[in-house]
Amino acid sequence: MLLAMPALWYLATCWCSTSGGRTTWRQASYLTWGVLQERVMTRSYGATATSPGERFTDSQFLVLMNRVLALIVAGLSCILCKQPRHGAPMYRYSFASLSNVLSSWCQYEALKFVSFPTQVLAKASKVIPVMLMGKLVSRRSYEHWEYLTAGLISVGVSMFLLSSGPEPRSSPATTLSGLILLAGYIAFDSFTSNWQDALFAYKMSSVQMMFGVNLFSCLFTVGSLLEQGALLEGTRFMGRHTEFAAHALLLSICSACGQLFIFYTIGQFGAAIFTIIMTLRQAFAILLSCLLYGHTVTVVGGLGVAVVFAALLLRVYARGRLKQRGKKAVPVESPVQKV
């Protein structure tokens, strides 16, 4: 099973573009980001023989650090590298930033009211809602086989995650309010990527998009932290523990690198393909956990990988057929006969 995953990875990166290296680096950035985030949020800092230390629990402060560094990286890129002339109104970036903040809030709040399997199914099934939102926001049209393969990928990844992912010991029961929050998370998240996709119609670069979105995200996040009184506390915690500051900086670097590839992927290939890649990332994260901690992949998980294989192969085949038909449809001018 583990030997089959590199081939699955190759298919996932090659059917969307020839720039597989960019996708690989983005996946590596976010896999590292996930491992570091778990380390920062679950370990104690300042522990001694007489003191257990203290844990950092404010994830929103980490989000602010990520966005500030991403804003700096994007700003420097815009200054140092030649960019196309910017024509998008600045206020349009605020919609994507606000929807991203709302989706994050709905996601974290929903975790308190839905069970673990419900969380997994919702995250793995975002592809179809993103495609439907694309028809509303970006006026994109999709073929029937694209809906079919997206559904198969969602089913396969769900099977793999539910069977192979270690379930938390205390998983809350699913309630109506949890399902409403989960629906809000999917809706806002689908809107975010599709709105960013629509903004690329202004012929901007990916770093210009990154700068505009992170500018408003920083403003929204700072406002939220100030209202909660958590900004100073997070800064004091960083001052007390230099090891945490180093971990948070490395976390932010991985997040900024991942954002560069995210905006490139959305700009080049659209929101639906980006969501499929992010859905597959969850399976790779579970696989990494299996490799590091010795978790076993069950038969159901293996069947899920096979379903994803089949969906990706079907997608590659369908795209190849469309390209062949497009070439055949091009009229060939008949040679002019000389008299």
Side-chain angles (χ1 to χ4, degrees):
M1 179 59 60
L2 297 181
L3 293 176
M5 291 305 291
L8 176 62
W9 169 256
Y10 175 78
L11 286 171
T13 55
C14 288
W15 60 257
C16 63
S17 76
T18 57
S19 303
R22 291 187 177 94
T23 308
T24 304
W25 277 108
R26 185 183 59 76
Q27 293 281 19
S29 297
Y30 269 93
L31 284 174
T32 308
W33 177 81
V35 172
L36 282 172
Q37 186 184 46
E38 183 177 357
R39 183 179 179 86
V40 168
M41 299 299 293
T42 58
R43 67 167 292 172
S44 297
Y45 290 94
T48 61
T50 57
S51 172
E54 57 180 335
R55 289 188 177 184
F56 186 80
T57 57
D58 192 354
S59 59
Q60 197 172 25
F61 184 81
L62 289 177
V63 171
L64 175 62
M65 288 194 62
N66 295 345
R67 289 170 177 168
V68 167
L69 185 61
L71 180 66
I72 294 172
V73 170
L76 290 175
S77 299
C78 290
I79 294 172
L80 300 177
C81 304
K82 186 177 181 180
Q83 303 293 329
R85 183 172 181 176
H86 186 267
M90 286 301 295
Y91 74 89
R92 285 184 170 269
Y93 295 105
S94 65
F95 299 139
S97 300
L98 181 59
S99 62
N100 182 256
V101 170
L102 290 174
S103 70
S104 299
W105 181 83
C106 288
Q107 180 184 13
Y108 288 122
E109 289 299 312
L111 296 180
K112 304 175 184 177
F113 305 105
V114 296
S115 64
F116 177 76
T118 307
Q119 299 170 27
V120 171
L121 290 173
K123 290 180 179 180
S125 304
K126 285 196 306 181
V127 183
I128 299 296
V130 166
M131 295 174 73
L132 295 176
M133 186 68 74
K135 294 178 70 70
L136 296 175
V137 176
S138 307
R139 298 291 189 263
R140 282 183 174 268
S141 59
Y142 298 97
E143 301 290 340
H144 294 298
W145 59 266
E146 292 183 284
Y147 287 106
L148 174 63
T149 54
L152 288 174
I153 289 173
S154 298
V155 171
V157 172
S158 298
M159 292 170 62
F160 180 75
L161 295 180
L162 289 174
S163 63
S164 304
E167 182 171 349
R169 294 179 181 177
S170 57
S171 182
T174 301
T175 62
L176 179 61
S177 57
L179 292 176
I180 293 174
L181 287 168
L182 209 55
Y185 156 66
I186 293 175
F188 286 124
D189 194 65
S190 301
F191 175 84
T192 300
S193 55
N194 277 290
W195 185 261
Q196 291 168 351
D197 189 12
L199 281 178
F200 276 109
Y202 287 97
K203 308 300 182 184
M204 68 183 69
S205 68
S206 56
V207 291
Q208 287 174 326
M209 170 73 76
M210 183 175 170
F211 180 85
V213 171
N214 280 285
L215 174 63
F216 284 98
S217 295
C218 287
L219 295 176
F220 289 138
T221 309
V222 166
S224 176
L225 286 171
L226 287 176
E227 192 222 345
Q228 300 172 23
L231 184 59
L232 288 177
E233 180 56 35
T235 306
R236 289 176 187 144
F237 189 94
M238 184 180 295
R240 291 194 300 269
H241 305 288
T242 56
E243 185 184 10
F244 166 76
H247 289 165
L249 178 61
L250 186 57
L251 188 73
S252 300
I253 291 172
C254 291
S255 176
C257 291
Q259 281 197 44
L260 285 171
F261 301 118
I262 278 178
F263 290 117
Y264 174 84
T265 304
I266 293 176
Q268 294 294 316
F269 313 114
I273 288 180
F274 162 71
T275 305
I276 290 175
I277 295 174
M278 293 300 288
T279 301
L280 292 175
R281 181 183 68 88
Q282 299 178 57
F284 291 125
I286 296 294
L287 175 64
L288 185 62
S289 176
C290 293
L291 291 172
L292 292 177
Y293 304 111
H295 301 305
T296 58
V297 179
T298 64
V299 176
V300 177
L303 289 175
V305 173
V307 170
V308 176
F309 254 122
L312 293 176
L313 286 172
L314 177 60
R315 200 172 183 99
V316 171
Y317 173 77
R319 283 186 176 273
R321 294 280 293 180
L322 282 179
K323 288 182 180 179
Q324 289 180 357
R325 289 180 183 175
K327 290 179 181 179
K328 291 179 180 179
V330 176
V332 180
E333 295 184 1
S334 58
V336 179
Q337 296 182 354
K338 293 183 179 180
V339 178

